[in-house]
Amino acid sequence: MQVSDSHAQDTAVEVVNADGSGQVLLLCEHASNHIPDRYQGLGLQQEHSLSHAAWDPGARAVALHLSRALDAPLVAGRVSRLVYDCNRPPEAPSAMPEKSELIEVPGNRGLTDAQRQERVATVYAPFCAATTKLIEARKAANVPTVLVTMHSFTRHYYGKERAVEIGILHDSDSRLADAMLAAAPALPHRRIERNEPYGPQDGVTHSLQIHGIAHGLDNVMIEIRNDLLSTPADEEALAEETLTLLRPALAALTPKGDTNA
Protein backbone atom coordinates (compact mmCIF):
# COMPACT_ATOMS: atom_id res chain seq x y z
CA MET A 1 0.00 0.00 0.00
CA GLN A 2 1.36 3.41 -0.94
CA VAL A 3 1.41 6.06 1.79
CA SER A 4 1.46 9.56 0.35
CA ASP A 5 1.56 11.45 3.66
CA SER A 6 5.27 11.27 4.49
CA HIS A 7 4.83 13.29 7.69
CA ALA A 8 2.26 10.81 8.95
CA GLN A 9 4.56 7.94 8.05
CA ASP A 10 7.35 9.56 10.08
CA THR A 11 5.22 10.12 13.18
CA ALA A 12 2.87 7.14 13.32
CA VAL A 13 5.62 4.71 14.28
CA GLU A 14 8.75 4.77 16.43
CA VAL A 15 11.68 2.49 15.68
CA VAL A 16 14.22 2.02 18.47
CA ASN A 17 17.60 0.27 18.09
CA ALA A 18 16.93 -0.62 14.45
CA ASP A 19 20.41 -2.13 14.10
CA GLY A 20 20.10 -4.30 17.20
CA SER A 21 21.54 -7.73 16.46
CA GLY A 22 19.87 -9.73 19.22
CA GLN A 23 17.56 -12.64 18.50
CA VAL A 24 14.33 -10.78 19.33
CA LEU A 25 12.32 -8.26 17.31
CA LEU A 26 9.94 -6.39 19.61
CA LEU A 27 6.59 -4.85 18.72
CA CYS A 28 4.49 -2.57 20.93
CA GLU A 29 1.36 -1.72 18.98
CA HIS A 30 -0.39 0.18 21.79
CA ALA A 31 2.56 2.21 23.10
CA SER A 32 0.89 5.64 22.97
CA ASN A 33 -2.43 7.33 23.75
CA HIS A 34 -1.65 10.21 21.36
CA ILE A 35 -4.57 11.32 19.18
CA PRO A 36 -3.41 13.53 16.26
CA ASP A 37 -5.11 16.91 16.07
CA ARG A 38 -6.90 16.04 12.84
CA TYR A 39 -9.14 13.62 14.78
CA GLN A 40 -10.25 16.28 17.29
CA GLY A 41 -9.74 14.05 20.28
CA LEU A 42 -12.30 11.56 18.89
CA GLY A 43 -14.83 13.36 21.09
CA LEU A 44 -13.51 11.51 24.14
CA GLN A 45 -13.65 12.71 27.71
CA GLN A 46 -10.12 13.49 28.89
CA GLU A 47 -10.15 10.70 31.48
CA HIS A 48 -11.01 8.21 28.75
CA SER A 49 -8.21 9.40 26.48
CA LEU A 50 -5.79 8.68 29.34
CA SER A 51 -7.27 5.30 30.18
CA HIS A 52 -6.30 1.77 29.15
CA ALA A 53 -8.92 2.02 26.40
CA ALA A 54 -6.61 4.40 24.53
CA TRP A 55 -3.30 2.55 25.01
CA ASP A 56 -1.39 -0.05 27.05
CA PRO A 57 0.10 1.76 30.05
CA GLY A 58 3.58 0.55 30.88
CA ALA A 59 3.97 -1.63 27.79
CA ARG A 60 6.39 0.70 25.97
CA ALA A 61 8.53 1.11 29.10
CA VAL A 62 8.82 -2.66 29.53
CA ALA A 63 9.56 -3.05 25.82
CA LEU A 64 12.36 -0.48 26.06
CA HIS A 65 13.92 -2.40 28.96
CA LEU A 66 13.74 -5.58 26.90
CA SER A 67 15.22 -3.80 23.89
CA ARG A 68 18.24 -2.73 25.91
CA ALA A 69 18.68 -6.08 27.65
CA LEU A 70 18.40 -8.14 24.47
CA ASP A 71 19.88 -5.68 21.93
CA ALA A 72 16.52 -5.96 20.20
CA PRO A 73 14.96 -3.62 17.65
CA LEU A 74 11.61 -2.23 18.78
CA VAL A 75 8.73 -1.01 16.62
CA ALA A 76 6.23 1.01 18.66
CA GLY A 77 3.01 2.72 17.66
CA ARG A 78 2.81 6.47 18.27
CA VAL A 79 -0.95 6.80 17.78
CA SER A 80 -3.75 5.71 20.11
CA ARG A 81 -5.35 2.40 19.34
CA LEU A 82 -8.72 4.18 19.42
CA VAL A 83 -7.66 5.95 16.21
CA TYR A 84 -6.45 2.67 14.73
CA ASP A 85 -5.49 -0.54 16.52
CA CYS A 86 -2.36 -1.80 14.77
CA ASN A 87 -3.05 -5.28 16.15
CA ARG A 88 -6.21 -5.55 14.05
CA PRO A 89 -6.78 -5.91 10.28
CA PRO A 90 -8.57 -3.03 8.50
CA GLU A 91 -11.79 -5.03 8.09
CA ALA A 92 -12.16 -5.69 11.84
CA PRO A 93 -14.72 -3.48 13.64
CA SER A 94 -12.28 -3.31 16.57
CA ALA A 95 -9.63 -1.66 14.36
CA MET A 96 -11.51 1.64 14.76
CA PRO A 97 -13.98 0.85 17.57
CA GLU A 98 -17.12 2.84 18.19
CA LYS A 99 -17.04 1.56 21.78
CA SER A 100 -14.24 0.20 23.95
CA GLU A 101 -15.59 -1.77 26.90
CA LEU A 102 -17.99 0.80 28.40
CA ILE A 103 -16.35 3.84 26.78
CA GLU A 104 -18.08 5.44 23.80
CA VAL A 105 -15.82 6.76 21.03
CA PRO A 106 -17.92 9.43 19.24
CA GLY A 107 -15.22 10.20 16.67
CA ASN A 108 -15.39 6.63 15.35
CA ARG A 109 -19.13 6.59 14.67
CA GLY A 110 -20.26 6.45 11.07
CA LEU A 111 -16.82 6.61 9.49
CA THR A 112 -16.87 6.76 5.71
CA ASP A 113 -14.76 4.42 3.59
CA ALA A 114 -12.45 7.34 2.85
CA GLN A 115 -12.03 8.16 6.52
CA ARG A 116 -11.26 4.56 7.37
CA GLN A 117 -8.79 4.29 4.52
CA GLU A 118 -7.03 7.46 5.68
CA ARG A 119 -6.38 5.86 9.06
CA VAL A 120 -5.22 2.62 7.47
CA ALA A 121 -2.80 4.56 5.25
CA THR A 122 -1.42 6.90 7.91
CA VAL A 123 -1.36 4.69 11.04
CA TYR A 124 -1.53 0.98 10.23
CA ALA A 125 0.45 0.88 6.98
CA PRO A 126 3.51 2.72 8.40
CA PHE A 127 3.60 0.39 11.41
CA CYS A 128 3.43 -2.67 9.17
CA ALA A 129 5.98 -1.24 6.74
CA ALA A 130 8.48 -0.51 9.52
CA THR A 131 8.09 -4.03 10.88
CA THR A 132 8.42 -5.68 7.47
CA LYS A 133 11.49 -3.58 6.67
CA LEU A 134 13.25 -4.83 9.81
CA ILE A 135 12.26 -8.45 9.21
CA GLU A 136 13.51 -8.38 5.63
CA ALA A 137 16.76 -6.65 6.60
CA ARG A 138 17.42 -9.22 9.30
CA LYS A 139 16.68 -12.08 6.91
CA ALA A 140 19.05 -10.59 4.34
CA ALA A 141 21.76 -10.37 7.00
CA ASN A 142 21.05 -13.93 8.20
CA VAL A 143 20.13 -12.71 11.69
CA PRO A 144 17.92 -15.29 13.47
CA THR A 145 14.70 -13.61 14.55
CA VAL A 146 11.81 -14.31 16.88
CA LEU A 147 8.89 -11.93 17.22
CA VAL A 148 7.75 -10.73 20.65
CA THR A 149 4.82 -8.34 21.02
CA MET A 150 4.45 -6.43 24.30
CA HIS A 151 1.10 -5.44 25.85
CA SER A 152 -0.58 -4.62 29.14
CA PHE A 153 -4.16 -5.19 30.30
CA THR A 154 -6.47 -3.75 32.90
CA ARG A 155 -7.16 -5.55 36.17
CA HIS A 156 -10.90 -4.89 36.01
CA TYR A 157 -12.85 -5.52 32.82
CA TYR A 158 -16.62 -5.15 32.51
CA GLY A 159 -16.72 -5.01 36.30
CA LYS A 160 -14.93 -8.32 36.79
CA GLU A 161 -11.49 -8.73 38.34
CA ARG A 162 -8.81 -10.63 36.46
CA ALA A 163 -6.56 -12.79 38.60
CA VAL A 164 -4.00 -13.53 35.90
CA GLU A 165 -0.91 -11.32 36.15
CA ILE A 166 1.13 -12.32 33.10
CA GLY A 167 -0.44 -13.78 29.99
CA ILE A 168 1.56 -15.74 27.43
CA LEU A 169 -0.41 -15.69 24.18
CA HIS A 170 0.00 -17.53 20.91
CA ASP A 171 -1.87 -18.43 17.75
CA SER A 172 -1.18 -21.61 15.74
CA ASP A 173 2.56 -21.47 16.51
CA SER A 174 3.00 -22.16 20.24
CA ARG A 175 6.69 -23.08 20.38
CA LEU A 176 7.94 -19.91 22.05
CA ALA A 177 4.88 -19.66 24.31
CA ASP A 178 5.34 -23.28 25.38
CA ALA A 179 8.97 -22.65 26.23
CA MET A 180 8.13 -19.51 28.24
CA LEU A 181 5.40 -21.32 30.16
CA ALA A 182 7.87 -24.10 30.93
CA ALA A 183 10.01 -21.45 32.64
CA ALA A 184 7.09 -20.11 34.73
CA PRO A 185 8.07 -22.02 37.92
CA ALA A 186 10.98 -19.58 38.19
CA LEU A 187 8.37 -16.93 39.13
CA PRO A 188 6.32 -18.75 41.80
CA HIS A 189 4.83 -15.50 43.09
CA ARG A 190 3.18 -14.74 39.72
CA ARG A 191 -0.01 -16.09 38.22
CA ILE A 192 1.02 -16.83 34.64
CA GLU A 193 -1.46 -18.32 32.18
CA ARG A 194 -1.69 -19.37 28.54
CA ASN A 195 -3.91 -17.27 26.22
CA GLU A 196 -5.25 -15.15 29.06
CA PRO A 197 -6.83 -12.67 29.50
CA TYR A 198 -7.31 -12.91 25.73
CA GLY A 199 -6.66 -15.50 23.07
CA PRO A 200 -6.89 -16.09 19.32
CA GLN A 201 -10.67 -16.32 19.58
CA ASP A 202 -10.68 -12.63 20.61
CA GLY A 203 -8.87 -11.49 17.48
CA VAL A 204 -5.75 -10.33 19.34
CA THR A 205 -3.15 -12.36 17.44
CA HIS A 206 -3.20 -10.36 14.19
CA SER A 207 0.40 -9.15 14.58
CA LEU A 208 1.57 -12.66 15.40
CA GLN A 209 -0.12 -13.92 12.25
CA ILE A 210 1.07 -11.34 9.72
CA HIS A 211 4.48 -10.41 11.14
CA GLY A 212 5.40 -13.71 12.79
CA ILE A 213 3.75 -16.77 11.30
CA ALA A 214 3.59 -15.38 7.74
CA HIS A 215 7.36 -14.76 7.84
CA GLY A 216 8.16 -18.13 9.40
CA LEU A 217 9.24 -16.59 12.73
CA ASP A 218 8.70 -18.08 16.17
CA ASN A 219 6.48 -15.63 18.01
CA VAL A 220 4.70 -14.81 21.24
CA MET A 221 2.50 -12.07 22.69
CA ILE A 222 3.14 -11.02 26.30
CA GLU A 223 0.42 -9.37 28.40
CA ILE A 224 1.19 -7.85 31.83
CA ARG A 225 -1.55 -6.60 34.14
CA ASN A 226 -1.12 -2.86 34.24
CA ASP A 227 -1.55 -2.39 38.00
CA LEU A 228 1.83 -4.13 38.23
CA LEU A 229 3.33 -1.34 36.08
CA SER A 230 2.42 1.70 38.18
CA THR A 231 5.93 3.15 38.60
CA PRO A 232 9.23 3.11 36.70
CA ALA A 233 10.58 0.70 39.32
CA ASP A 234 7.60 -1.60 38.70
CA GLU A 235 8.21 -1.46 34.95
CA GLU A 236 11.85 -2.39 35.37
CA ALA A 237 11.00 -5.21 37.79
CA LEU A 238 8.39 -6.71 35.45
CA ALA A 239 10.79 -6.40 32.53
CA GLU A 240 13.28 -8.47 34.52
CA GLU A 241 10.57 -11.02 35.31
CA THR A 242 9.70 -11.17 31.63
CA LEU A 243 13.35 -11.84 30.86
CA THR A 244 13.29 -14.64 33.43
CA LEU A 245 10.71 -16.34 31.20
CA LEU A 246 12.04 -15.25 27.83
CA ARG A 247 15.77 -15.89 28.06
CA PRO A 248 15.59 -19.65 28.78
CA ALA A 249 12.80 -19.98 26.23
CA LEU A 250 14.97 -18.41 23.54
CA ALA A 251 17.86 -20.66 24.48
CA ALA A 252 15.61 -23.74 24.30
CA LEU A 253 14.31 -23.03 20.82
CA THR A 254 15.67 -25.08 17.93
CA PRO A 255 15.87 -22.82 14.87
CA LYS A 256 13.16 -23.66 12.36
CA GLY A 257 14.49 -25.73 9.53
CA ASP A 258 17.28 -27.27 11.64
CA THR A 259 17.04 -30.98 10.88
CA ASN A 260 20.02 -31.91 13.02
CA ALA A 261 18.21 -31.40 16.31
Side-chain angles (χ1 to χ4, degrees), residues 15-136:
V15 179
V16 177
N17 193 25
D19 295 326
S21 59
Q23 187 177 1
V24 169
L25 170 59
L26 291 161
L27 302 186
C28 189
E29 300 97 318
H30 308 148
S32 174
N33 65 346
H34 173 63
I35 299 174
D37 290 344
R38 63 186 180 274
Y39 303 117
Q40 301 180 324
L42 297 177
L44 291 167
Q45 298 177 29
Q46 184 177 12
E47 63 184 286
H48 294 161
S49 67
L50 300 175
S51 75
H52 182 266
W55 66 318
D56 281 359
R60 178 180 177 275
V62 172
L64 286 171
H65 282 293
L66 298 182
S67 174
R68 289 189 289 268
L70 299 170
D71 192 22
L74 165 63
V75 180
R78 281 181 163 171
V79 176
S80 170
R81 64 175 168 196
L82 293 181
V83 174
Y84 188 98
D85 187 333
C86 287
N87 193 28
R88 300 292 190 278
E91 66 273 14
S94 55
M96 294 162 263
E98 296 185 5
K99 189 174 185 180
S100 177
E101 192 182 358
L102 303 177
I103 295 173
E104 300 285 346
V105 188
N108 287 351
R109 292 188 197 130
L111 294 176
T112 66
D113 288 344
Q115 288 172 322
R116 296 180 70 87
Q117 182 59 26
E118 185 272 338
R119 298 192 193 186
V120 170
T122 61
V123 182
Y124 177 68
F127 185 91
C128 291
T131 302
T132 299
K133 181 179 179 180
L134 282 173
I135 292 171
E136 291 180 347

Side-chain angles (χ1 to χ4, degrees), residues 109-175:
R109 292 188 197 130
L111 294 176
T112 66
D113 288 344
Q115 288 172 322
R116 296 180 70 87
Q117 182 59 26
E118 185 272 338
R119 298 192 193 186
V120 170
T122 61
V123 182
Y124 177 68
F127 185 91
C128 291
T131 302
T132 299
K133 181 179 179 180
L134 282 173
I135 292 171
E136 291 180 347
R138 289 167 68 86
K139 283 186 176 181
N142 292 315
V143 178
T145 301
V146 301
L147 185 78
V148 176
T149 72
M150 193 70 240
H151 297 258
S152 70
F153 65 96
T154 184
R155 182 169 186 165
H156 297 96
Y157 191 65
Y158 282 102
K160 294 183 179 180
E161 184 165 346
R162 292 155 153 173
V164 60
E165 295 176 308
I166 300 176
I168 307 298
L169 283 60
H170 63 83
D171 198 273
S172 59
D173 176 5
S174 68
R175 292 205 327 152

Side-chain angles (χ1 to χ4, degrees), residues 139 145 173 211-219 256:
K139 283 186 176 181
T145 301
D173 176 5
H211 301 305
I213 295 170
H215 288 277
L217 307 179
D218 287 302
N219 58 88
K256 289 185 174 179

